[in-house]
Amino acid sequence: MLLGKLRAASRLPLPLIALIPVAWLLIGAAATLVAVAPFRRIAPLLGRNMGAAALAPIGSAKELDRAVLIARAISFAARYMPLRSDCLPQAIAGVALCRLLRVPYAAYFGASTFVPGRQGQLLAHAWLQCGPVVITGGRGSFGAYGVVACFVSPHPRYP
């Protein structure tokens, strides 16, 4: 089984292989930060607060390719994280990688009481996006959650 995983990993693109350990470390750091710091201390690290606006910055073809690479690295790293690796640490780690690789982003924080199977409960979710590329948080988040806060990269471009 281990040999099969190593063989599969050897077929991954080299930039992705290089980014996975960085993503893993950032998710761990984000999980630790979420555990010890209140959100008001974390929020300034996420970018410019746009309030409840649902803005989606656009990216060039190269930036969108890098966004896909970030999404794959975070998804892979989160599967092997022994700490909390749900939507919030992934979104925080994604913000850090987007800044590192100069990818415009919007980090959304949403809430809903209408998630199927969990009616009446207030649920929160965080997701990260660059144009049409969903970096973390999965597709359909806009349909299931109302945006309560949006943080954008320092110099985003809008359509």
Side-chain angles (χ1 to χ4, degrees):
M1 185 164 104
L2 181 60
L3 187 60
K5 288 190 180 280
L6 289 173
R7 204 173 295 134
S10 70
R11 291 189 289 263
L12 294 174
L14 192 56
L16 178 59
I17 292 171
L19 200 55
I20 289 171
V22 176
W24 191 83
L25 289 171
L26 286 171
I27 292 171
T32 303
L33 185 63
V34 167
V36 299
F39 187 75
R40 72 177 189 282
R41 299 281 187 219
I42 298 169
L45 304 173
L46 298 174
R48 194 166 20 148
N49 187 350
M50 303 302 287
L55 303 170
I58 59 172
S60 66
K62 283 185 178 183
E63 290 168 335
L64 293 177
D65 288 343
R66 289 193 302 258
V68 169
L69 183 70
I70 292 168
R72 290 183 66 195
I74 288 177
S75 174
F76 191 91
R79 281 183 269 172
Y80 299 99
M81 175 57 55
L83 302 173
R84 173 183 175 182
S85 62
D86 58 2
C87 61
L88 184 56
Q90 286 184 40
I92 293 169
V95 165
L97 285 173
C98 284
R99 285 186 172 198
L100 182 70
L101 297 177
R102 299 180 187 265
V103 173
Y105 64 85
Y108 304 99
F109 295 84
S112 178
T113 58
F114 299 107
V115 175
R118 301 179 89 176
Q119 304 301 47
Q121 295 179 356
L122 179 63
L123 300 174
H125 186 49
W127 66 102
L128 185 66
Q129 202 165 322
C130 174
V133 177
V134 178
I135 299 172
T136 68
R139 297 209 176 276
S141 295
F142 279 114
Y145 296 90
V147 175
V148 295
C150 175
F151 295 85
V152 296
S153 51
H155 305 290
R157 292 185 306 278
Y158 300 103

